[in-house]
C-alpha cells in the first residue's frame, strides 16, 4: 500500500510546496501555508504520462454551434448568466452566510422541476426535513425534485450517474470530501479534488452543475483561488443580511458578460425580482436636503439610478473621521483631496461620511462627480435640485472626463422624471439624439459647483 505524504498548500491561491514557507512565492501572501496529508494515486492500468489517444486538430475543422441554454424562470438570474444556464457548465455561487444562496438555488430548482426538467439537489449541511420546510415557504412543487443528503464524493457521483439529472445543485462544496484523500473536508486539496470531479461530470454528461461556496471574512470564496479558475461562471451575492435588497453580480462568465447584475428583494416567500431597481432605490429620497445627490451608474447594459448621501461636519477630535459605505474608501479620500486642492474647501477639520443608499456597492468612476457634488452640497449646506441627475469621472487635476453609455443614462433618468442633467461636456458631443431635458455640460468641478 502506498504511503501518504505530507505537502503544504497556500490557502489563498492553492500553490503546492513540499515544505512550509512563510511567504507564498505565487501570490506573495504571508502565513497562508497549511499542512495536509495526500495519498499518492496509483497509475496502474492508466495511460502513461505524456501519451494520449487524441491528436491535435486544425481550428478550421472544429465545428461550432450555439450553446443550448435553459431558462431558470428568474429573469434577473438569466440576465447575469447571459441568457440562461448553459448545459454542461459548472457555476459557483458565493456569498455571506444567510444572504440567500440556498434560497435562490432552491427557487431555480422549483422552476426547472415545474418546467419538466429532472433536478437533483445535493445538500451536505441540511437534512431532507429542513429542505422540505424551506421549499414549502418559497412555493409549491408541481413536479418531482430529487433530494440527496450526502457528503461523500463517490456516493454523490454514483447518484448523479444513476439518476441522470439535467440540473444539479451542490450545497456546499466545503462539506464534500473524497474518501481516497486523508485530508479533512473543506481543505484545499479536498475542495480542489471535489470541484475537479464535478467539472468532469458536467462536461462528460452534459449536466448543468451549480455549487455553493462559503466565503472568508474578506468576502472571497474560501479555498484555493484555483477554484474560481476551474469553474465556468462565478456569481457573488452582495448586500447586508439586515437589508432588504440583494445584488447578484457575475464576476466570471465564459458564456456571457461579467458586468451584469441582478437585483433581488428578500421576502417571506423567498427572493423576489426587482424589475425597476432605479425606481426602487430612489423610494423615500429626501426633498431639498443638502448632501443628497442622484447619480447614474452602468452595471453591464443596465443604467441604475441611486442616491449618494454625504455628511460633512466640524470634527471634535484631533484626527477627523472618514467613513464610506458602498463606495471605495480610498476613492472618497482622493476626491476630497481634489476639492481641497482645486477648489479651496477646508475639509481637513471636518468629519466626512459618505453613504450609498439601498445597500448597493458601486465602483464605477462615473459616480465621481456625484460624490464631489454631494460633499460640496453638505459642506456649503446648499441642496441640489431634486430633479437633477449627475454623472462623470473626476481626475486629479479637477477635470471632468467623459464616461461610456451617456445616452443610455440620460434616457433612464428621463423615464423617471428628471429634468436636468450635469454631465461631462465631452459626452454632449457624442449624443445622437437630444433628449427633452436640460443638459449642463462641464469640463471641471468648478463649473459643476457653480450650479449649486
Amino acid at each position: 500500500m502506498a504511503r501518504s505524504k505530507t505537502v503544504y498548500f497556500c490557502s489563498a491561491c492553492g500553490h503546492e510546496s513540499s515544505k512550509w514557507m512563510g511567504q507564498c512565492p505565487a501570490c506573495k501572501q504571508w502565513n497562508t501555508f497549511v499542512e495536509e496529508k495526500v495519498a499518492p494515486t496509483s497509475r496502474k492500468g492508466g495511460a502513461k504520462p505524456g501519451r494520449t489517444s487524441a491528436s491535435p486538430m486544425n481550428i478550421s475543422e472544429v465545428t461550432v454551434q450555439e450553446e443550448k441554454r435553459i431558462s431558470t424562470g428568474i429573469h434577473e438570474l438569466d440576465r447575469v448568466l447571459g441568457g440562461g444556464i448553459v448545459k454542461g457548465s459548472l457555476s459557483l455561487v458565493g456569498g455571506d452566510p444567510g444572504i440567500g444562496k440556498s434560497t435562490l438555488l432552491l427557487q431555480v430548482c422549483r422552476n426547472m422541476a415545474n418546467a419538466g426538467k429532472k433536478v437533483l439537489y445535493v445538500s451536505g449541511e441540511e437534512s431532507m426535513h429542513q429542505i422540505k420546510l424551506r421549499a414549502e415557504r418559497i412555493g409549491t412543487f408541481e413536479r418531482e425534485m430529487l433530494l440527496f443528503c450526502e457528503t461523500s464524493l463517490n456516493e454523490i457521483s454514483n447518484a448523479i450517474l444513476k439518476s441522470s439529472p439535467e440540473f444539479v445543485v451542490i450545497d456546499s462544496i466545503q462539506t464534500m470530501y473524497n474518501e481516497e484523500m486523508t485530508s479533512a473536508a473543506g481543505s484545499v486539496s479536498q475542495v480542489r479534488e471535489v470541484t475537479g470531479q464535478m467539472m468532469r461530470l458536467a462536461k462528460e454528461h452534459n449536466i448543468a452543475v451549480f455549487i455553493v461556496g462559503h466565503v472568508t471574512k474578506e468576502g472571497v470564496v474560501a479555498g484555493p483561488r484555483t477554484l474560481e479558475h476551474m469553474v465556468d461562471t462565478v456569481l457573488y451575492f452582495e448586500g447586508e443580511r439586515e437589508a432588504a435588497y440583494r445584488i447578484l453580480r457575475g464576476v466570471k462568465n465564459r458564456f456571457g458578460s461579467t458586468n451584469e447584475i441582478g437585483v433581488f428583494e428578500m421576502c417571506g416567500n423567498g427572493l423576489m425580482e426587482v424589475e425597476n431597481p432605479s425606481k426602487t432605490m430612489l423610494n423615500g429620497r429626501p426633498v431639498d436636503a443638502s448632501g443628497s445627490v442622484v447619480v447614474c451608474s452602468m452595471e453591464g447594459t443596465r443604467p441604475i439610478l441611486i442616491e449618494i448621501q454625504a455628511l460633512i461636519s466640524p470634527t471634535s477630535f484631533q484626527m477627523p473621521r472618514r467613513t464610506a459605505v458602498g463606495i471605495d474608501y480610498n476613492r472618497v479620500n482622493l476626491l476630497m483631496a481634489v476639492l481641497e486642492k482645486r477648489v479651496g474647501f477646508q475639509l481637513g477639520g471636518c468629519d466626512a461620511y459618505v453613504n450609498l443608499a439601498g445597500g448597493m456597492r458601486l465602483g464605477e468612476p462615473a459616480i465621481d462627480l456625484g460624490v464631489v457634488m454631494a460633499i460640496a452640497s453638505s459642506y456649503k449646506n446648499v441642496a441640489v435640485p431634486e430633479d437633477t441627475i449627475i454623472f462623470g469621472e473626476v481626475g486629479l487635476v479637477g477635470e471632468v472626463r467623459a464616461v461610456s453609455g451617456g445616452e443610455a443614462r440620460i434616457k433612464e433618468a428621463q423615464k423617471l422624471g428628471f429634468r436636468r442633467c450635469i454631465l461631462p461636456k465631452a459626452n454632449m458631443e457624442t449624443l445622437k439624439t437630444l433628449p427633452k431635458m436640460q443638459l449642463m455640460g462641464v469640463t471641471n468641478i468648478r463649473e459643476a459647483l457653480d450650479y449649486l
Side-chain angles (χ1 to χ4, degrees), residues 148-170:
F148 191 50
C149 295
E150 183 59 62
T151 56
S152 172
L153 178 62
N154 294 332
E155 296 294 333
I156 295 171
S157 301
N158 293 334
I160 293 175
L161 295 176
K162 184 178 179 180
S163 57
S164 299
E166 299 179 62
F167 181 67
V168 176
V169 173
I170 306 295

Side-chain angles (χ1 to χ4, degrees), residues 121-136:
Y121 189 97
V122 181
S123 176
E125 300 177 342
E126 297 178 290
S127 64
M128 292 188 181
H129 179 70
Q130 291 175 305
I131 300 174
K132 176 66 174 179
L133 291 176
R134 186 153 47 88
E136 290 179 347

Side-chain angles (χ1 to χ4, degrees), residues 77-319:
L77 179 57
D78 287 343
R79 173 196 291 270
V80 178
L81 292 173
I85 301 174
V86 178
K87 290 185 177 182
S89 63
L90 180 63
S91 302
L92 172 66
V93 181
D96 295 332
I99 200 72
K101 304 183 296 296
S102 301
T103 300
L104 177 65
L105 292 178
L106 195 58
Q107 290 180 232
V108 174
C109 291
R110 182 197 62 183
N111 295 340
M112 298 186 69
N114 293 343
K117 307 293 183 182
K118 197 168 186 180
V119 178
L120 174 62
Y121 189 97
V122 181
S123 176
E125 300 177 342
E126 297 178 290
S127 64
M128 292 188 181
H129 179 70
Q130 291 175 305
I131 300 174
K132 176 66 174 179
L133 291 176
R134 186 153 47 88
E136 290 179 347
R137 290 197 300 267
I138 66 175
T140 58
F141 284 73
E142 299 175 0
R143 301 194 181 184
E144 296 181 355
M145 182 188 77
L146 300 177
L147 295 179
F148 191 50
C149 295
E150 183 59 62
T151 56
S152 172
L153 178 62
N154 294 332
E155 296 294 333
I156 295 171
S157 301
N158 293 334
I160 293 175
L161 295 176
K162 184 178 179 180
S163 57
S164 299
E166 299 179 62
F167 181 67
V168 176
V169 173
I170 306 295
D171 187 9
S172 66
I173 194 67
Q174 276 82 13
T175 60
M176 308 301 166
Y177 69 95
N178 186 353
E179 296 176 350
E180 298 178 359
M181 305 183 68
T182 57
S183 55
S187 60
V188 175
S189 56
Q190 286 282 7
V191 170
R192 187 163 54 185
E193 177 65 24
V194 174
T195 305
Q197 179 66 16
M198 289 296 107
M199 181 179 63
R200 286 189 292 270
L201 287 173
K203 304 300 181 184
E204 293 175 2
H205 300 278
N206 204 25
I207 302 172
V209 180
F210 268 67
I211 59 177
V212 177
H214 294 165
V215 296
T216 62
K217 61 182 180 180
E218 289 83 12
V220 298
V221 176
R225 294 293 294 180
T226 52
L227 179 62
E228 296 188 7
H229 295 291
M230 295 169 67
V231 301
D232 298 312
T233 307
V234 180
L235 307 178
Y236 274 105
F237 251 123
E238 299 176 359
E240 302 295 335
R241 282 183 293 177
E242 296 78 12
Y245 300 111
R246 307 283 195 271
I247 307 299
L248 183 65
R249 189 182 302 274
V251 179
K252 172 188 176 182
N253 192 352
R254 289 174 177 164
F255 308 106
S257 173
T258 57
N259 296 322
E260 298 289 350
I261 68 167
V263 184
F264 298 88
E265 182 180 2
M266 180 60 77
C267 303
N269 57 347
L271 290 166
M272 304 297 294
E273 300 178 68
V274 179
E275 298 180 357
N276 192 342
S278 299
K279 184 178 180 181
T280 305
M281 295 294 178
L282 296 180
N283 284 339
R285 184 165 62 97
V287 179
D288 294 331
S290 62
S292 174
V293 168
V294 178
V295 299
C296 186
S297 175
M298 290 292 293
E299 295 294 336
T301 58
R302 169 190 285 180
I304 294 182
L305 273 62
I306 194 166
E307 179 191 4
I308 292 180
Q309 296 177 339
L311 177 62
I312 307 298
S313 61
T315 183
S316 56
F317 303 96
Q318 185 175 3
M319 182 71 69

Side-chain angles (χ1 to χ4, degrees), residues 404-420:
S404 61
E407 192 167 354
R409 301 173 199 261
I410 295 173
K411 288 181 179 179
E412 179 69 14
Q414 190 174 356
K415 290 179 184 177
L416 296 179
F418 287 86
R419 294 180 293 178
R420 298 185 185 88

